[in-house]
Amino acid sequence: MNSHLFHRSLGTLSAQSFQRASSAELLVALHLAPNILFDGSSDESSSSTRSGQAQEVSRLGGATHATTTSSISSPRRKIWAHRSGVNCLTIDGFEGRFMLSGGAESSILLWDLESADNTLNHCTHRPADALRKSSSTSSHKFGITHLSFYPFDSQAFLSSSYDHTLKIYATETLIPSASFDLNSVVYSHALSPIADHLLVACATQHPAIRLVDLRSGASAHSLPGHQGAVLSVAWSPRSDHLLASGGSDGTVRLWDIRRSTGSLGVLDLEDSVGIGGENGLGKNVRSPQRGKAHIGACNGVVWTDDGKYLVTAGHDERVRVWDVRVRSNTLSHFGPITKNTHLSTLLPMIAPSHVVPAGTQVMLYPNEREILMFDLLDGTLLKRLRAFEGPPTHARESAKQPNITNRVTSLCWRAGAVEMYSAHSDGMVRAWKPKTEEEIEVDEDESQEANEEEDESRKRKRQVLDDVFRDLTKQKITFN
């Protein structure tokens, strides 16, 4: 950082380059912020009785509150965002203020990331508003699979669910403005960030991609081609008519919605030369309709910001990077450490281009119980981000509920900051922020002190019980 400041003062480093270099250092310095918590438990009991007016008062009256270190570290404090696990997250791309979380129990929670008294150190966020299955007939009936803010206005968002529906809600009121029954499980959906056609592509259990037109309300148009369920879809950030999809048949398909046939072909993991062939003029070029991108289901498809590369994740536990211009496999290799075994959509996250050095791309991959940071183009592992390991979580308390692990289910980036948030199957939402070495040492010291205090408290309680037992055993017992 000091060298960047020196070159900036000399005028040899532009303001944009200085900003990129500073943000890149912050990106690598990302660490878990253990004292920033998201508590959806306190809102759950009252959500079923709140009226629309009360919800508005709750939102405007300060939905989040600062807490002390002792309350956070208390072993009796049960903190979770969604009791049954968090399936998905999204943050609005305008202000980076509002975040939505979707639960396995079908609830949707709205969080205001700026309403806490102290968002830098110790705070507990509480929902600004909540939509739960028991509180409204307009809510989803089964678990939420995907959430996304409207790309042109954060005052609306879309949600899809295992209940076969795609819904559009007003962010301010959480009242649905439209609902589409697609007659099959909706694994994910996508709305183009640049197009004006307002077509929502839906990846469903049906082998054809469903296109929902928000203008007309029609949902009859489809794109057939996959031989099994479609698990993930994504629009190009540079071309408003180009769509990519991944399915349970292991194929990744590209689509041009202007064409009558739609399909542009499939990507082949064995093709590293692309449509130009071996000599660039078509020699030994493969058939665009044959090939597989993954040996197993493909349940994650994302684009880079510049639209040049497509990143896919599959059940063969491989992440592949494709050069979309020639439709070839770049052969980026991320090693044997990536895991992917669940049928639900698993989306790698590409760090925004303004927080990485020019000419590079950084990928953050939700790898079971950790987050892996890779250089996207050469596959170098930059960092492993892990949440603190501790006692069993409180997301599932009933003996009837199955035991779960702390699996990362979703990642999202906060616009205007170097901050990341992750959703977990243990019911928690975790925050990740840059930290210096000194801050890390302070956090470790605080954690150690809290553990020592807890151990001392347990010793005192044990000593009291021992004294009581000793006194009882000393008493003489007589029988009449």
Side-chain angles (χ1 to χ4, degrees):
M1 178 60 72
N2 291 334
S3 63
H4 298 323
L5 290 172
F6 176 71
H7 288 290
R8 179 67 184 133
S9 64
L10 294 178
T12 57
L13 189 66
S14 66
Q16 184 178 7
S17 299
F18 176 75
Q19 187 270 338
R20 271 182 175 266
S22 302
S23 299
E25 291 184 358
L26 293 175
L27 176 65
V28 179
L30 278 178
H31 283 81
L32 175 69
N35 295 320
I36 298 179
L37 305 174
F38 293 83
D39 185 8
S41 59
S42 60
D43 177 74
E44 186 176 34
S45 59
S46 59
S47 63
S48 59
T49 58
R50 286 187 303 173
S51 63
Q53 180 180 1
Q55 291 177 352
E56 184 68 18
V57 172
S58 174
R59 186 186 301 112
L60 298 177
T64 61
H65 308 277
T67 62
T68 62
T69 308
S70 59
S71 65
I72 291 175
S73 60
S74 171
R76 295 185 179 182
R77 184 73 172 100
K78 299 178 180 179
I79 299 291
W80 38 261
H82 295 264
R83 178 184 294 273
S84 300
V86 190
N87 286 351
C88 49
L89 285 179
T90 187
I91 297 179
D92 77 273
F94 294 90
E95 300 177 279
R97 175 175 179 177
F98 294 104
M99 180 174 71
L100 291 166
S101 62
E105 79 288 2
S106 81
S107 65
I108 298 175
L109 301 184
L110 175 67
W111 310 86
D112 187 347
L113 299 179
E114 296 182 359
S115 63
D117 295 334
N118 183 2
T119 59
L120 295 178
N121 297 315
H122 301 83
C123 67
T124 297
H125 293 279
R126 292 184 173 84
D129 209 344
L131 182 65
R132 302 187 187 275
K133 181 178 179 180
S134 59
S135 63
S136 174
T137 57
S138 61
S139 62
H140 287 287
K141 306 307 177 186
F142 302 114
I144 310 300
T145 57
H146 195 194
L147 291 168
S148 64
F149 277 98
Y150 194 69
F152 311 111
D153 186 0
S154 60
Q155 294 303 308
F157 68 90
L158 296 92
S159 66
S160 55
S161 168
Y162 288 108
D163 65 3
H164 301 183
T165 62
L166 171 76
K167 294 179 182 288
I168 306 172
Y169 289 95
T171 307
E172 185 176 358
T173 60
L174 293 189
I175 296 176
S177 56
S179 179
F180 303 90
D181 187 352
L182 302 183
N183 298 316
S184 59
V185 172
V186 186
Y187 293 109
S188 68
H189 63 266
L191 186 61
S192 174
I194 60 172
D196 58 1
H197 52 57
L198 296 183
L199 292 176
V200 182
C202 297
T204 71
Q205 210 169 17
H206 193 275
I209 299 172
R210 298 290 297 275
L211 297 179
V212 177
D213 191 340
L214 298 184
R215 280 202 178 95
S216 65
S219 58
H221 190 44
S222 61
L223 299 173
H226 284 282
Q227 301 301 312
V230 185
L231 302 178
S232 183
V233 288
W235 290 96
S236 168
R238 297 298 179 183
S239 178
D240 60 1
H241 57 270
L242 185 60
L243 177 71
S245 64
S248 60
D249 57 359
T251 63
V252 173
R253 291 183 173 270
L254 296 176
W255 309 84
D256 185 344
I257 61 170
R258 301 172 302 178
R259 296 164 50 120
S260 58
T261 56
S263 178
L264 295 174
V266 299
L267 301 178
D268 187 0
L269 63 90
E270 298 181 355
D271 184 4
S272 60
V273 296
I275 57 178
E278 296 176 357
N279 60 356
L281 300 176
K283 180 181 178 181
N284 295 330
V285 64
R286 69 174 178 87
S287 169
Q289 302 301 329
R290 294 181 180 179
K292 287 191 175 184
H294 291 273
I295 306 174
C298 174
N299 59 341
V301 176
V302 294
W303 295 82
T304 56
D305 288 347
D306 56 13
K308 295 180 180 179
Y309 298 99
L310 187 70
V311 183
T312 63
H315 280 190
D316 54 2
E317 300 191 335
R318 292 290 183 270
V319 178
R320 293 191 169 88
V321 183
W322 310 86
D323 187 338
V324 180
R325 293 167 295 184
V326 295
R327 304 176 201 170
S328 65
N329 184 358
T330 63
L331 302 180
S332 296
H333 184 60
F334 302 96
I337 60 176
T338 56
K339 306 297 180 184
N340 184 359
T341 58
H342 298 267
L343 188 62
S344 56
T345 302
L346 185 73
L347 298 177
M349 187 179 71
I350 309 301
S353 56
H354 65 272
V355 301
V356 298
T360 63
Q361 299 277 359
V362 173
M363 176 186 70
L364 293 131
Y365 182 77
N367 193 53
E368 292 294 338
R369 303 181 69 176
E370 63 181 355
I371 302 169
L372 303 178
M373 184 185 297
F374 289 102
D375 184 303
L376 181 66
L377 301 181
D378 63 20
T380 303
L381 178 64
L382 304 177
K383 193 170 187 177
R384 303 176 85 140
L385 302 173
R386 293 176 178 173
F388 292 156
E389 299 294 338
T393 61
H394 303 288
R396 311 244 180 173
E397 300 173 4
S398 172
K400 298 180 180 179
Q401 294 173 317
N403 185 26
I404 58 175
T405 58
N406 179 19
R407 182 171 62 90
V408 185
T409 57
S410 180
L411 301 174
C412 63
W413 191 267
R414 186 178 182 184
V418 184
E419 293 180 21
M420 179 178 68
Y421 295 84
S422 58
H424 299 257
S425 59
D426 64 357
M428 294 187 67
V429 173
R430 291 178 168 88
W432 305 82
K433 294 188 176 185
K435 288 185 180 181
T436 62
E437 295 296 332
E438 292 78 9
E439 290 174 328
I440 295 173
E441 291 179 1
V442 170
D443 286 343
E444 290 178 350
D445 292 340
E446 290 181 353
S447 177
Q448 184 176 356
E449 290 176 2
N451 291 334
E452 290 176 354
E453 291 177 0
E454 184 178 343
D455 291 340
E456 186 64 28
S457 176
R458 289 177 178 175
K459 289 179 180 179
R460 287 196 301 267
K461 292 178 181 179
R462 181 65 180 176
Q463 184 63 41
V464 170
L465 290 174
D466 289 343
D467 293 341
V468 171
F469 177 77
R470 190 179 301 108
D471 292 341
L472 288 175
T473 55
K474 288 181 178 179
Q475 294 179 2
K476 294 183 178 181
I477 303 176
T478 59
F479 297 94
N480 295 327

